[in-house]
Amino acid sequence: MNEPFTTEREIESTAAALVEQLERLPEEEARAIFSQLTAPQRAAVVGELETTVSIELLKALPDDQVAACLQIVPRNIAADLVANLPEERRSPILSGLAPEKAAAVSALLRYSPESAGGIMDNRFVAVRVDETVDQSLARVRAAPIKSTDDISYIYVTDAGQKLVGVVSLRELVFSPAERPLKEIFNPEVQFLRVSDDQEQIAQRIQQSKFLGFPVVDEQQRLVGVVRMRDAIRVAQIEATEDMQLMVGMSGEERIWTRWNVSIAKRLPWLGVNMLTTLLAAAVVSYFEDTIARWAALVAFLPMISAVGGNAGMQALTVIVRGLALGEVVDGDALRAVRKELAIGLANGFVLGLAIGLLAFGWKGSVLLGVVAAAAMLLNQVVGALSGVAIPFGLRRCGIDPALASSIFVTTITDVIGFLVFLGLAALAMRVYGL
Amino acid sequence: MNEPFTTEREIESTAAALVEQLERLPEEEARAIFSQLTAPQRAAVVGELETTVSIELLKALPDDQVAACLQIVPRNIAADLVANLPEERRSPILSGLAPEKAAAVSALLRYSPESAGGIMDNRFVAVRVDETVDQSLARVRAAPIKSTDDISYIYVTDAGQKLVGVVSLRELVFSPAERPLKEIFNPEVQFLRVSDDQEQIAQRIQQSKFLGFPVVDEQQRLVGVVRMRDAIRVAQIEATEDMQLMVGMSGEERIWTRWNVSIAKRLPWLGVNMLTTLLAAAVVSYFEDTIARWAALVAFLPMISAVGGNAGMQALTVIVRGLALGEVVDGDALRAVRKELAIGLANGFVLGLAIGLLAFGWKGSVLLGVVAAAAMLLNQVVGALSGVAIPFGLRRCGIDPALASSIFVTTITDVIGFLVFLGLAALAMRVYGL
């Protein structure tokens, strides 16, 4: 509670410039600069840097300097950093903190950094439901709050520390001093549980009418507050993660992530993609004779593959994002399938007609036109349906619905598209004796 | 100012259920239900529904009922809805509003719905820099504020209504009554201009330490406030939009968007994609003879296309999201190119080796292995670089960097990948007289 926040404003103005430098410089230079900083300066920047970058910088410092820095950092951020440091350094660093801070950080360390318990700030103001307005205001006045903390809403607990409601600071301030809090507080309060995943925070942030969420433990006791700023950060991180997961990335990559780290995250998924495309390769290979005898076919493979894959990505994007925002729930799968079926059929008719005419006009073969049109039509439907099936399926298996989903969807459209196109072509050749 | 907010709480609890129903039901049924609602019920749901859905429902009502509903809706949302109604219905509806509300909505209508001016609420509390704490508090107390409005921070203006700073409600409440506001307000305040695009709101929301942004006009006068809730909604919309734009969608599609509307938005981009893949088709077609004489080649086309395209998408995702969040600026292009070049080369070596060995093992040809490996290597580099070049290039042309970017990137990887692979194969066949 005795953390020096007085020089806060001056530190923050230089922190932004430092953060930018540290992110953009090569690792060694960033470390050299960081080692020159004072503890308050370090504290100001580690709060703003990506966690992975902060950890890299902190790791290079001795335990006592890390402790001096963490002593000044808000406890939820300190806990997040300690959780990411190597196991063997945690207790020496914790014991370098003031006993009170060490206890608070240790308490937060019990929760996963991606849960409400890990994200919440366990320093907050709460008032008691059996107090008067005056008593509540005195409590708020006495609370050690940073000037940037949001206290528009103050949570109300009972004698057993259980969360029972919320009251706005404005209502407190403008109500008669002797009025019982009971009469003015709002018992309808949205809360998170310590074990809730950060995904749920991102989903509920839009629906919340209050700025921030109270967090309760298993006994419904108020143990912390997820502040709006942290909730927004989490929501932005979740959106970034979904976009990256879809194309086979970790969700944590930024432009300043070092290239060797990026490779370690991207290459395995490219490898998976190569393996899945083996299926498409096998299909094409199976029809090698057909292609050798009718080489014009091959010009249409990229088109069927790309346009089918793109249709799949369109459906996929709607579903993945809808699931992430909580706008789409499991029960919506059937509805989504029906909608995508209609879209796939309609788009397939138009695009099938287009590719059919193109094939006929370019290669002068009605048969090729018909085969290409049929494959395009079917592949539009397959793309749209797999764009729904993959994310709902992944979710059903307890996996993030975005995970590598574009790789799976495009593999399906490649395989089915080629199978239909080359299969029909082979059949036609046999029937017409070409 | 005399808008009935008293029954707010009861209305909101049923509104959530209604919103869900209206979104999920077929259009005609939704309209039938909506026509049965009272004006306050309608007001509660149009604030929560997607704008396109709200407009559909409102359009079916007569002017006076639309006005009765909009009378109760917050003015920034009312303005947004009026702006989306057919031109000829706007003035009859506006004249059905109370004069004060009509004036406020008309004022907001001057701004684009996607600008800070269109998003802001022009009802806010401001205090004057030449007042005492007591005078300021009296002003806050007298202001007509909804209980859910955020007033943790109160903006401070000078006599000419120019924005000069911000003060927290907490500081006001706990400072001596006679203290001049001058001594406690914070002159460092982040603000938006009425003309700022919503993209900038999404970018700055993370950096802001206050909850919401004041909005100033050309003369630096405070004219409105973008509330945190609206800022978060905008940020979520921007993230959704980026994901959708990348794959050739409008950015406005949700799972409950009617399928005919979806088709109108998706099909044109699939058409564009089909046209761009004509380039890849032309490349493949050019090498028809090569393929006819060496049909084994064709099995590797999907692999080179898919894995190269995926690598491009990975780089693209990092850049598009980074640009959207303001983490990446124009000056970072060179840095990104260098990083992606390193990644492309490294991944290309590994994946090239893999596909080379695979080609040799499967088809028994060293030559095929070497050609496939070279094409894979080069295409990894091309994918990574075009993932950087396309978004930066689009942005340079004043176009959203996400727009259809995945279509462009995968077209490039298809064309270059096939060109290198088939070109090298043709060359090798000539050299070795196959």
Side-chain angles (χ1 to χ4, degrees), chain A residues 300 303-304 306-312 314 343-359 369-370 372-381, chain B residues 263 266-275 277:
Chain A
F300 294 89
M303 206 172 274
I304 285 169
V307 185
N310 197 172
Q314 290 179 333
I343 294 174
L345 282 169
N347 286 348
F349 271 112
V350 176
L351 296 168
L353 190 67
I355 200 175
L357 290 173
L358 179 81
V370 171
M376 178 63 88
L377 166 59
L378 210 93
N379 214 22
Q380 282 296 310
V381 175
Chain B
I263 289 170
R266 295 191 198 178
L267 185 55
W269 287 113
L270 293 174
V272 168
N273 195 8
M274 211 168 108
L275 290 179
T277 48

Side-chain angles (χ1 to χ4, degrees), chain A residues 284-304:
Chain A
V284 173
S285 191
Y286 179 81
F287 290 103
E288 251 172 43
D289 287 349
T290 311
I291 291 166
R293 282 158 51 216
W294 197 1
L297 287 175
V298 86
F300 294 89
L301 292 180
M303 206 172 274
I304 285 169

